PDB file of all heavy atoms in Angstrom:
ATOM      1  N   LEU A 417     -66.179 -16.203  -1.729  1.00 93.00           N
ATOM      2  CA  LEU A 417     -65.704 -15.933  -0.457  1.00 93.00           C
ATOM      3  C   LEU A 417     -64.305 -16.554  -0.016  1.00 93.00           C
ATOM      4  O   LEU A 417     -64.138 -17.013   1.098  1.00 93.00           O
ATOM      5  CB  LEU A 417     -66.769 -16.297   0.670  1.00 93.00           C
ATOM      6  CG  LEU A 417     -68.257 -15.614   0.393  1.00 93.00           C
ATOM      7  CD1 LEU A 417     -69.153 -16.156   1.300  1.00 93.00           C
ATOM      8  CD2 LEU A 417     -68.026 -14.116   0.482  1.00 93.00           C
ATOM      9  N   ALA A 419     -60.447 -16.980   0.720  1.00 88.00           N
ATOM     10  CA  ALA A 419     -59.353 -16.341   1.391  1.00 88.00           C
ATOM     11  C   ALA A 419     -57.982 -16.904   0.974  1.00 88.00           C
ATOM     12  O   ALA A 419     -57.059 -16.160   1.045  1.00 88.00           O
ATOM     13  CB  ALA A 419     -59.534 -16.357   2.932  1.00 88.00           C
ATOM     14  N   PHE A 428     -66.479 -21.228  -1.213  1.00 93.00           N
ATOM     15  CA  PHE A 428     -67.750 -21.545  -0.733  1.00 93.00           C
ATOM     16  C   PHE A 428     -68.821 -21.828  -1.869  1.00 93.00           C
ATOM     17  O   PHE A 428     -69.954 -22.082  -1.668  1.00 93.00           O
ATOM     18  CB  PHE A 428     -68.487 -20.500   0.191  1.00 93.00           C
ATOM     19  CG  PHE A 428     -67.788 -20.516   1.545  1.00 93.00           C
ATOM     20  CD1 PHE A 428     -66.614 -20.042   1.917  1.00 93.00           C
ATOM     21  CD2 PHE A 428     -68.598 -21.094   2.630  1.00 93.00           C
ATOM     22  CE1 PHE A 428     -65.957 -20.044   3.149  1.00 93.00           C
ATOM     23  CE2 PHE A 428     -68.022 -21.198   3.940  1.00 93.00           C
ATOM     24  CZ  PHE A 428     -66.786 -20.610   4.221  1.00 93.00           C
ATOM     25  N   ILE A 489     -75.966 -17.884   7.327  1.00 98.00           N
ATOM     26  CA  ILE A 489     -75.363 -17.293   8.462  1.00 98.00           C
ATOM     27  C   ILE A 489     -73.854 -17.532   8.330  1.00 98.00           C
ATOM     28  O   ILE A 489     -73.007 -16.658   8.439  1.00 98.00           O
ATOM     29  CB  ILE A 489     -75.799 -17.812   9.730  1.00 98.00           C
ATOM     30  CG1 ILE A 489     -77.243 -17.320   9.997  1.00 98.00           C
ATOM     31  CG2 ILE A 489     -74.965 -17.508  10.940  1.00 98.00           C
ATOM     32  CD1 ILE A 489     -77.904 -17.939  11.195  1.00 98.00           C
ATOM     33  N   LEU A 490     -73.379 -18.832   8.004  1.00 98.00           N
ATOM     34  CA  LEU A 490     -72.005 -19.213   7.877  1.00 98.00           C
ATOM     35  C   LEU A 490     -71.340 -18.302   6.733  1.00 98.00           C
ATOM     36  O   LEU A 490     -70.192 -17.742   6.993  1.00 98.00           O
ATOM     37  CB  LEU A 490     -71.990 -20.635   7.516  1.00 98.00           C
ATOM     38  CG  LEU A 490     -70.514 -21.214   7.362  1.00 98.00           C
ATOM     39  CD1 LEU A 490     -69.726 -21.239   8.456  1.00 98.00           C
ATOM     40  CD2 LEU A 490     -70.625 -22.653   6.755  1.00 98.00           C
ATOM     41  N   MET A 491     -71.931 -18.192   5.549  1.00 97.00           N
ATOM     42  CA  MET A 491     -71.312 -17.529   4.427  1.00 97.00           C
ATOM     43  C   MET A 491     -71.304 -16.016   4.690  1.00 97.00           C
ATOM     44  O   MET A 491     -70.384 -15.369   4.336  1.00 97.00           O
ATOM     45  CB  MET A 491     -72.018 -17.904   3.234  1.00 97.00           C
ATOM     46  CG  MET A 491     -71.823 -19.340   2.797  1.00 97.00           C
ATOM     47  SD  MET A 491     -72.878 -20.026   1.474  1.00 97.00           S
ATOM     48  CE  MET A 491     -72.157 -18.999   0.097  1.00 97.00           C
ATOM     49  N   ALA A 492     -72.371 -15.511   5.266  1.00 98.00           N
ATOM     50  CA  ALA A 492     -72.371 -14.025   5.514  1.00 98.00           C
ATOM     51  C   ALA A 492     -71.299 -13.649   6.539  1.00 98.00           C
ATOM     52  O   ALA A 492     -70.587 -12.598   6.473  1.00 98.00           O
ATOM     53  CB  ALA A 492     -73.718 -13.581   6.010  1.00 98.00           C
ATOM     54  N   ALA A 493     -71.111 -14.542   7.584  1.00 97.00           N
ATOM     55  CA  ALA A 493     -70.032 -14.334   8.543  1.00 97.00           C
ATOM     56  C   ALA A 493     -68.663 -14.356   7.886  1.00 97.00           C
ATOM     57  O   ALA A 493     -67.871 -13.599   8.217  1.00 97.00           O
ATOM     58  CB  ALA A 493     -70.119 -15.382   9.609  1.00 97.00           C
ATOM     59  N   GLN A 494     -68.451 -15.307   6.970  1.00 96.00           N
ATOM     60  CA  GLN A 494     -67.234 -15.389   6.162  1.00 96.00           C
ATOM     61  C   GLN A 494     -67.026 -14.078   5.395  1.00 96.00           C
ATOM     62  O   GLN A 494     -65.924 -13.448   5.346  1.00 96.00           O
ATOM     63  CB  GLN A 494     -67.226 -16.525   5.209  1.00 96.00           C
ATOM     64  CG  GLN A 494     -66.057 -16.684   4.287  1.00 96.00           C
ATOM     65  CD  GLN A 494     -64.702 -17.139   4.898  1.00 96.00           C
ATOM     66  OE1 GLN A 494     -64.644 -17.340   6.156  1.00 96.00           O
ATOM     67  NE2 GLN A 494     -63.650 -17.283   4.134  1.00 96.00           N
ATOM     68  N   ALA A 495     -67.956 -13.557   4.761  1.00 96.00           N
ATOM     69  CA  ALA A 495     -67.907 -12.268   3.952  1.00 96.00           C
ATOM     70  C   ALA A 495     -67.631 -11.236   4.916  1.00 96.00           C
ATOM     71  O   ALA A 495     -66.706 -10.306   4.571  1.00 96.00           O
ATOM     72  CB  ALA A 495     -69.174 -12.012   3.285  1.00 96.00           C
ATOM     73  N   LEU A 496     -68.245 -11.163   6.102  1.00 97.00           N
ATOM     74  CA  LEU A 496     -67.908 -10.009   6.958  1.00 97.00           C
ATOM     75  C   LEU A 496     -66.536  -9.975   7.496  1.00 97.00           C
ATOM     76  O   LEU A 496     -65.827  -9.007   7.684  1.00 97.00           O
ATOM     77  CB  LEU A 496     -68.982  -9.987   8.127  1.00 97.00           C
ATOM     78  CG  LEU A 496     -70.376  -9.574   7.657  1.00 97.00           C
ATOM     79  CD1 LEU A 496     -71.376  -9.803   8.764  1.00 97.00           C
ATOM     80  CD2 LEU A 496     -70.422  -8.143   7.277  1.00 97.00           C
ATOM     81  N   THR A 497     -65.959 -11.292   7.722  1.00 96.00           N
ATOM     82  CA  THR A 497     -64.625 -11.397   8.239  1.00 96.00           C
ATOM     83  C   THR A 497     -63.633 -10.990   7.215  1.00 96.00           C
ATOM     84  O   THR A 497     -62.644 -10.361   7.533  1.00 96.00           O
ATOM     85  CB  THR A 497     -64.431 -12.893   8.715  1.00 96.00           C
ATOM     86  OG1 THR A 497     -65.387 -13.195   9.781  1.00 96.00           O
ATOM     87  CG2 THR A 497     -63.056 -12.999   9.216  1.00 96.00           C
ATOM     88  N   LEU A 498     -63.892 -11.351   6.003  1.00 93.00           N
ATOM     89  CA  LEU A 498     -62.943 -11.147   4.915  1.00 93.00           C
ATOM     90  C   LEU A 498     -62.782  -9.607   4.661  1.00 93.00           C
ATOM     91  O   LEU A 498     -61.618  -9.112   4.313  1.00 93.00           O
ATOM     92  CB  LEU A 498     -63.440 -11.717   3.575  1.00 93.00           C
ATOM     93  CG  LEU A 498     -63.464 -13.267   3.503  1.00 93.00           C
ATOM     94  CD1 LEU A 498     -64.019 -13.583   2.147  1.00 93.00           C
ATOM     95  CD2 LEU A 498     -61.999 -13.810   3.594  1.00 93.00           C
ATOM     96  N   ALA A 515     -74.547 -11.336  16.611  1.00 98.00           N
ATOM     97  CA  ALA A 515     -74.685 -12.654  15.863  1.00 98.00           C
ATOM     98  C   ALA A 515     -73.308 -13.120  15.303  1.00 98.00           C
ATOM     99  O   ALA A 515     -72.987 -14.318  15.359  1.00 98.00           O
ATOM    100  CB  ALA A 515     -75.660 -12.461  14.628  1.00 98.00           C
ATOM    101  N   LEU A 516     -72.484 -12.138  14.698  1.00 98.00           N
ATOM    102  CA  LEU A 516     -71.224 -12.519  14.146  1.00 98.00           C
ATOM    103  C   LEU A 516     -70.281 -13.043  15.274  1.00 98.00           C
ATOM    104  O   LEU A 516     -69.600 -14.032  15.077  1.00 98.00           O
ATOM    105  CB  LEU A 516     -70.636 -11.359  13.429  1.00 98.00           C
ATOM    106  CG  LEU A 516     -69.182 -11.559  12.840  1.00 98.00           C
ATOM    107  CD1 LEU A 516     -69.295 -12.632  11.789  1.00 98.00           C
ATOM    108  CD2 LEU A 516     -68.761 -10.228  12.227  1.00 98.00           C
ATOM    109  N   GLU A 517     -70.247 -12.372  16.394  1.00 98.00           N
ATOM    110  CA  GLU A 517     -69.415 -12.878  17.504  1.00 98.00           C
ATOM    111  C   GLU A 517     -69.771 -14.210  18.065  1.00 98.00           C
ATOM    112  O   GLU A 517     -68.947 -15.090  18.359  1.00 98.00           O
ATOM    113  CB  GLU A 517     -69.571 -11.810  18.609  1.00 98.00           C
ATOM    114  CG  GLU A 517     -68.736 -10.489  18.294  1.00 98.00           C
ATOM    115  CD  GLU A 517     -69.090  -9.399  19.381  1.00 98.00           C
ATOM    116  OE1 GLU A 517     -69.914  -9.646  20.201  1.00 98.00           O
ATOM    117  OE2 GLU A 517     -68.516  -8.261  19.138  1.00 98.00           O
ATOM    118  N   ALA A 518     -71.163 -14.455  18.015  1.00 98.00           N
ATOM    119  CA  ALA A 518     -71.631 -15.838  18.475  1.00 98.00           C
ATOM    120  C   ALA A 518     -71.166 -16.863  17.479  1.00 98.00           C
ATOM    121  O   ALA A 518     -70.748 -18.025  17.898  1.00 98.00           O
ATOM    122  CB  ALA A 518     -73.101 -15.845  18.673  1.00 98.00           C
ATOM    123  N   VAL A 519     -71.180 -16.544  16.204  1.00 98.00           N
ATOM    124  CA  VAL A 519     -70.718 -17.460  15.187  1.00 98.00           C
ATOM    125  C   VAL A 519     -69.247 -17.701  15.397  1.00 98.00           C
ATOM    126  O   VAL A 519     -68.795 -18.924  15.438  1.00 98.00           O
ATOM    127  CB  VAL A 519     -71.062 -17.067  13.744  1.00 98.00           C
ATOM    128  CG1 VAL A 519     -70.410 -17.905  12.760  1.00 98.00           C
ATOM    129  CG2 VAL A 519     -72.576 -16.969  13.566  1.00 98.00           C
ATOM    130  N   ARG A 520     -68.509 -16.720  15.471  1.00 97.00           N
ATOM    131  CA  ARG A 520     -67.037 -16.807  15.621  1.00 97.00           C
ATOM    132  C   ARG A 520     -66.653 -17.451  16.810  1.00 97.00           C
ATOM    133  O   ARG A 520     -65.510 -17.976  16.951  1.00 97.00           O
ATOM    134  CB  ARG A 520     -66.492 -15.431  15.468  1.00 97.00           C
ATOM    135  CG  ARG A 520     -66.450 -14.931  13.958  1.00 97.00           C
ATOM    136  CD  ARG A 520     -65.554 -15.849  13.048  1.00 97.00           C
ATOM    137  NE  ARG A 520     -65.826 -15.520  11.682  1.00 97.00           N
ATOM    138  CZ  ARG A 520     -66.419 -16.430  10.842  1.00 97.00           C
ATOM    139  NH1 ARG A 520     -66.746 -17.661  11.282  1.00 97.00           N
ATOM    140  NH2 ARG A 520     -66.583 -16.177   9.529  1.00 97.00           N
ATOM    141  N   ALA A 521     -67.359 -17.459  17.875  1.00 96.00           N
ATOM    142  CA  ALA A 521     -67.004 -18.138  19.101  1.00 96.00           C
ATOM    143  C   ALA A 521     -67.040 -19.657  18.925  1.00 96.00           C
ATOM    144  O   ALA A 521     -66.389 -20.361  19.651  1.00 96.00           O
ATOM    145  CB  ALA A 521     -68.028 -17.729  20.257  1.00 96.00           C
ATOM    146  N   ALA A 522     -67.764 -20.059  17.896  1.00 96.00           N
ATOM    147  CA  ALA A 522     -67.895 -21.555  17.634  1.00 96.00           C
ATOM    148  C   ALA A 522     -67.272 -22.009  16.457  1.00 96.00           C
ATOM    149  O   ALA A 522     -66.822 -23.183  16.278  1.00 96.00           O
ATOM    150  CB  ALA A 522     -69.370 -21.970  17.727  1.00 96.00           C
ATOM    151  N   ILE A 523     -67.119 -21.054  15.403  1.00 96.00           N
ATOM    152  CA  ILE A 523     -66.610 -21.525  14.116  1.00 96.00           C
ATOM    153  C   ILE A 523     -65.561 -20.420  13.658  1.00 96.00           C
ATOM    154  O   ILE A 523     -65.966 -19.281  13.411  1.00 96.00           O
ATOM    155  CB  ILE A 523     -67.800 -21.499  13.068  1.00 96.00           C
ATOM    156  CG1 ILE A 523     -68.961 -22.483  13.530  1.00 96.00           C
ATOM    157  CG2 ILE A 523     -67.263 -22.070  11.753  1.00 96.00           C
ATOM    158  CD1 ILE A 523     -70.124 -22.378  12.652  1.00 96.00           C
ATOM    159  N   PRO A 524     -64.389 -20.840  13.625  1.00 93.00           N
ATOM    160  CA  PRO A 524     -63.334 -19.822  13.136  1.00 93.00           C
ATOM    161  C   PRO A 524     -63.621 -19.605  11.602  1.00 93.00           C
ATOM    162  O   PRO A 524     -64.001 -20.441  10.956  1.00 93.00           O
ATOM    163  CB  PRO A 524     -61.970 -20.546  13.388  1.00 93.00           C
ATOM    164  CG  PRO A 524     -62.375 -21.958  13.402  1.00 93.00           C
ATOM    165  CD  PRO A 524     -63.675 -22.062  13.929  1.00 93.00           C
ATOM    166  N   PRO A 525     -63.109 -18.345  11.206  1.00 91.00           N
ATOM    167  CA  PRO A 525     -63.244 -18.073   9.705  1.00 91.00           C
ATOM    168  C   PRO A 525     -62.297 -18.903   8.903  1.00 91.00           C
ATOM    169  O   PRO A 525     -61.284 -19.333   9.314  1.00 91.00           O
ATOM    170  CB  PRO A 525     -62.876 -16.623   9.643  1.00 91.00           C
ATOM    171  CG  PRO A 525     -61.926 -16.394  10.806  1.00 91.00           C
ATOM    172  CD  PRO A 525     -62.471 -17.301  11.855  1.00 91.00           C
ATOM    173  N   ALA A 526     -62.685 -19.166   7.642  1.00 86.00           N
ATOM    174  CA  ALA A 526     -61.847 -19.938   6.684  1.00 86.00           C
ATOM    175  C   ALA A 526     -60.885 -18.978   6.030  1.00 86.00           C
ATOM    176  O   ALA A 526     -61.171 -18.517   4.945  1.00 86.00           O
ATOM    177  CB  ALA A 526     -62.758 -20.710   5.713  1.00 86.00           C
ATOM    178  N   LEU A 527     -59.668 -18.757   6.605  1.00 88.00           N
ATOM    179  CA  LEU A 527     -58.832 -17.694   6.153  1.00 88.00           C
ATOM    180  C   LEU A 527     -57.627 -18.324   5.472  1.00 88.00           C
ATOM    181  O   LEU A 527     -56.789 -17.619   4.824  1.00 88.00           O
ATOM    182  CB  LEU A 527     -58.370 -16.711   7.243  1.00 88.00           C
ATOM    183  CG  LEU A 527     -59.570 -15.979   7.906  1.00 88.00           C
ATOM    184  CD1 LEU A 527     -58.974 -15.054   8.934  1.00 88.00           C
ATOM    185  CD2 LEU A 527     -60.297 -15.217   6.830  1.00 88.00           C
ATOM    186  N   ASP A 528     -57.422 -19.674   5.587  1.00 89.00           N
ATOM    187  CA  ASP A 528     -56.358 -20.304   5.049  1.00 89.00           C
ATOM    188  C   ASP A 528     -56.589 -21.130   3.862  1.00 89.00           C
ATOM    189  O   ASP A 528     -55.747 -21.914   3.359  1.00 89.00           O
ATOM    190  CB  ASP A 528     -55.646 -21.219   6.017  1.00 89.00           C
ATOM    191  CG  ASP A 528     -55.178 -20.454   7.277  1.00 89.00           C
ATOM    192  OD1 ASP A 528     -54.666 -19.266   6.986  1.00 89.00           O
ATOM    193  OD2 ASP A 528     -55.189 -20.823   8.328  1.00 89.00           O
ATOM    194  N   GLY A 529     -57.834 -20.988   3.353  1.00 89.00           N
ATOM    195  CA  GLY A 529     -58.253 -21.879   2.205  1.00 89.00           C
ATOM    196  C   GLY A 529     -59.277 -22.908   2.527  1.00 89.00           C
ATOM    197  O   GLY A 529     -59.905 -22.829   3.631  1.00 89.00           O
ATOM    198  N   ASP A 530     -59.507 -23.876   1.638  1.00 89.00           N
ATOM    199  CA  ASP A 530     -60.612 -24.721   1.697  1.00 89.00           C
ATOM    200  C   ASP A 530     -60.488 -25.639   2.976  1.00 89.00           C
ATOM    201  O   ASP A 530     -59.371 -26.008   3.400  1.00 89.00           O
ATOM    202  CB  ASP A 530     -60.787 -25.637   0.500  1.00 89.00           C
ATOM    203  CG  ASP A 530     -61.140 -24.917  -0.718  1.00 89.00           C
ATOM    204  OD1 ASP A 530     -61.749 -23.813  -0.519  1.00 89.00           O
ATOM    205  OD2 ASP A 530     -60.990 -25.352  -1.826  1.00 89.00           O
ATOM    206  N   ARG A 531     -61.644 -25.908   3.607  1.00 90.00           N
ATOM    207  CA  ARG A 531     -61.694 -26.853   4.714  1.00 90.00           C
ATOM    208  C   ARG A 531     -62.785 -27.914   4.346  1.00 90.00           C
ATOM    209  O   ARG A 531     -63.303 -27.992   3.400  1.00 90.00           O
ATOM    210  CB  ARG A 531     -62.083 -26.074   5.989  1.00 90.00           C
ATOM    211  CG  ARG A 531     -61.013 -25.058   6.372  1.00 90.00           C
ATOM    212  CD  ARG A 531     -61.144 -24.706   7.846  1.00 90.00           C
ATOM    213  NE  ARG A 531     -62.369 -24.088   8.195  1.00 90.00           N
ATOM    214  CZ  ARG A 531     -62.419 -22.932   8.838  1.00 90.00           C
ATOM    215  NH1 ARG A 531     -61.372 -22.255   9.180  1.00 90.00           N
ATOM    216  NH2 ARG A 531     -63.649 -22.498   9.224  1.00 90.00           N
ATOM    217  N   TRP A 532     -62.997 -28.749   5.323  1.00 93.00           N
ATOM    218  CA  TRP A 532     -63.963 -29.905   5.257  1.00 93.00           C
ATOM    219  C   TRP A 532     -65.288 -29.190   5.427  1.00 93.00           C
ATOM    220  O   TRP A 532     -65.765 -29.039   6.557  1.00 93.00           O
ATOM    221  CB  TRP A 532     -63.706 -30.982   6.238  1.00 93.00           C
ATOM    222  CG  TRP A 532     -64.578 -32.278   6.006  1.00 93.00           C
ATOM    223  CD1 TRP A 532     -65.719 -32.616   6.593  1.00 93.00           C
ATOM    224  CD2 TRP A 532     -64.241 -33.272   5.043  1.00 93.00           C
ATOM    225  NE1 TRP A 532     -66.135 -33.756   6.178  1.00 93.00           N
ATOM    226  CE2 TRP A 532     -65.244 -34.253   5.195  1.00 93.00           C
ATOM    227  CE3 TRP A 532     -63.230 -33.539   4.106  1.00 93.00           C
ATOM    228  CZ2 TRP A 532     -65.290 -35.431   4.437  1.00 93.00           C
ATOM    229  CZ3 TRP A 532     -63.278 -34.602   3.300  1.00 93.00           C
ATOM    230  CH2 TRP A 532     -64.263 -35.598   3.486  1.00 93.00           C
ATOM    231  N   TYR A 533     -65.949 -28.640   4.422  1.00 93.00           N
ATOM    232  CA  TYR A 533     -67.124 -27.789   4.597  1.00 93.00           C
ATOM    233  C   TYR A 533     -68.305 -28.389   5.160  1.00 93.00           C
ATOM    234  O   TYR A 533     -69.199 -27.768   5.787  1.00 93.00           O
ATOM    235  CB  TYR A 533     -67.441 -27.068   3.291  1.00 93.00           C
ATOM    236  CG  TYR A 533     -66.477 -26.037   2.824  1.00 93.00           C
ATOM    237  CD1 TYR A 533     -65.859 -26.020   1.560  1.00 93.00           C
ATOM    238  CD2 TYR A 533     -66.203 -24.925   3.723  1.00 93.00           C
ATOM    239  CE1 TYR A 533     -64.906 -25.095   1.163  1.00 93.00           C
ATOM    240  CE2 TYR A 533     -65.331 -23.923   3.353  1.00 93.00           C
ATOM    241  CZ  TYR A 533     -64.658 -23.999   2.067  1.00 93.00           C
ATOM    242  OH  TYR A 533     -63.825 -23.005   1.740  1.00 93.00           O
ATOM    243  N   THR A 535     -68.289 -30.138   7.764  1.00 95.00           N
ATOM    244  CA  THR A 535     -68.105 -29.878   9.276  1.00 95.00           C
ATOM    245  C   THR A 535     -68.582 -28.503   9.540  1.00 95.00           C
ATOM    246  O   THR A 535     -69.209 -28.215  10.519  1.00 95.00           O
ATOM    247  CB  THR A 535     -66.594 -30.019   9.646  1.00 95.00           C
ATOM    248  OG1 THR A 535     -66.187 -31.436   9.386  1.00 95.00           O
ATOM    249  CG2 THR A 535     -66.508 -29.763  11.211  1.00 95.00           C
ATOM    250  N   GLU A 536     -68.158 -27.517   8.670  1.00 94.00           N
ATOM    251  CA  GLU A 536     -68.630 -26.124   8.810  1.00 94.00           C
ATOM    252  C   GLU A 536     -70.149 -26.012   8.905  1.00 94.00           C
ATOM    253  O   GLU A 536     -70.725 -25.346   9.760  1.00 94.00           O
ATOM    254  CB  GLU A 536     -68.062 -25.292   7.705  1.00 94.00           C
ATOM    255  CG  GLU A 536     -66.610 -25.318   7.529  1.00 94.00           C
ATOM    256  CD  GLU A 536     -65.805 -24.595   8.520  1.00 94.00           C
ATOM    257  OE1 GLU A 536     -65.858 -23.419   8.709  1.00 94.00           O
ATOM    258  OE2 GLU A 536     -65.104 -25.374   9.382  1.00 94.00           O
ATOM    259  N   LEU A 537     -70.823 -26.591   7.942  1.00 96.00           N
ATOM    260  CA  LEU A 537     -72.263 -26.619   7.860  1.00 96.00           C
ATOM    261  C   LEU A 537     -72.878 -27.249   9.145  1.00 96.00           C
ATOM    262  O   LEU A 537     -73.873 -26.691   9.643  1.00 96.00           O
ATOM    263  CB  LEU A 537     -72.730 -27.279   6.534  1.00 96.00           C
ATOM    264  CG  LEU A 537     -72.897 -26.447   5.381  1.00 96.00           C
ATOM    265  CD1 LEU A 537     -73.238 -27.297   4.171  1.00 96.00           C
ATOM    266  CD2 LEU A 537     -73.941 -25.377   5.509  1.00 96.00           C
ATOM    267  N   GLU A 538     -72.385 -28.397   9.550  1.00 97.00           N
ATOM    268  CA  GLU A 538     -72.881 -29.079  10.598  1.00 97.00           C
ATOM    269  C   GLU A 538     -72.745 -28.195  11.928  1.00 97.00           C
ATOM    270  O   GLU A 538     -73.593 -28.175  12.767  1.00 97.00           O
ATOM    271  CB  GLU A 538     -72.211 -30.462  10.893  1.00 97.00           C
ATOM    272  CG  GLU A 538     -72.593 -31.448   9.806  1.00 97.00           C
ATOM    273  CD  GLU A 538     -74.150 -31.747   9.807  1.00 97.00           C
ATOM    274  OE1 GLU A 538     -74.644 -32.101  10.894  1.00 97.00           O
ATOM    275  OE2 GLU A 538     -74.766 -31.632   8.779  1.00 97.00           O
ATOM    276  N   ARG A 539     -71.578 -27.553  12.059  1.00 97.00           N
ATOM    277  CA  ARG A 539     -71.476 -26.629  13.212  1.00 97.00           C
ATOM    278  C   ARG A 539     -72.413 -25.500  13.129  1.00 97.00           C
ATOM    279  O   ARG A 539     -72.987 -25.128  14.232  1.00 97.00           O
ATOM    280  CB  ARG A 539     -70.031 -26.140  13.262  1.00 97.00           C
ATOM    281  CG  ARG A 539     -68.889 -27.200  13.603  1.00 97.00           C
ATOM    282  CD  ARG A 539     -67.521 -26.575  13.530  1.00 97.00           C
ATOM    283  NE  ARG A 539     -66.514 -27.508  13.988  1.00 97.00           N
ATOM    284  CZ  ARG A 539     -65.242 -27.282  13.790  1.00 97.00           C
ATOM    285  NH1 ARG A 539     -64.789 -26.138  13.304  1.00 97.00           N
ATOM    286  NH2 ARG A 539     -64.360 -28.201  14.344  1.00 97.00           N
ATOM    287  N   ALA A 540     -72.542 -24.935  12.009  1.00 97.00           N
ATOM    288  CA  ALA A 540     -73.535 -23.853  11.906  1.00 97.00           C
ATOM    289  C   ALA A 540     -74.989 -24.267  12.190  1.00 97.00           C
ATOM    290  O   ALA A 540     -75.744 -23.516  12.942  1.00 97.00           O
ATOM    291  CB  ALA A 540     -73.434 -23.207  10.532  1.00 97.00           C
ATOM    292  N   LEU A 543     -75.363 -24.762  15.838  1.00 97.00           N
ATOM    293  CA  LEU A 543     -75.399 -23.440  16.504  1.00 97.00           C
ATOM    294  C   LEU A 543     -76.904 -22.835  16.452  1.00 97.00           C
ATOM    295  O   LEU A 543     -77.333 -22.313  17.418  1.00 97.00           O
ATOM    296  CB  LEU A 543     -74.379 -22.514  15.888  1.00 97.00           C
ATOM    297  CG  LEU A 543     -73.861 -21.362  16.685  1.00 97.00           C
ATOM    298  CD1 LEU A 543     -73.301 -21.683  17.976  1.00 97.00           C
ATOM    299  CD2 LEU A 543     -72.843 -20.590  15.824  1.00 97.00           C
TER     300      LEU A 543
END
Side-chain angles (χ1 to χ4, degrees):
L417 302 177
F428 282 77
I489 291 172
L490 177 69
M491 293 171 67
Q494 174 75 358
L496 290 169
T497 300
L498 290 176
L516 180 61
E517 289 171 355
V519 172
R520 287 291 167 248
I523 307 171
L527 298 179
D528 298 324
D530 292 341
R531 298 201 296 232
W532 192 260
Y533 286 123
T535 301
E536 306 288 293
L537 271 174
E538 289 299 306
R539 286 176 178 171
L543 202 57

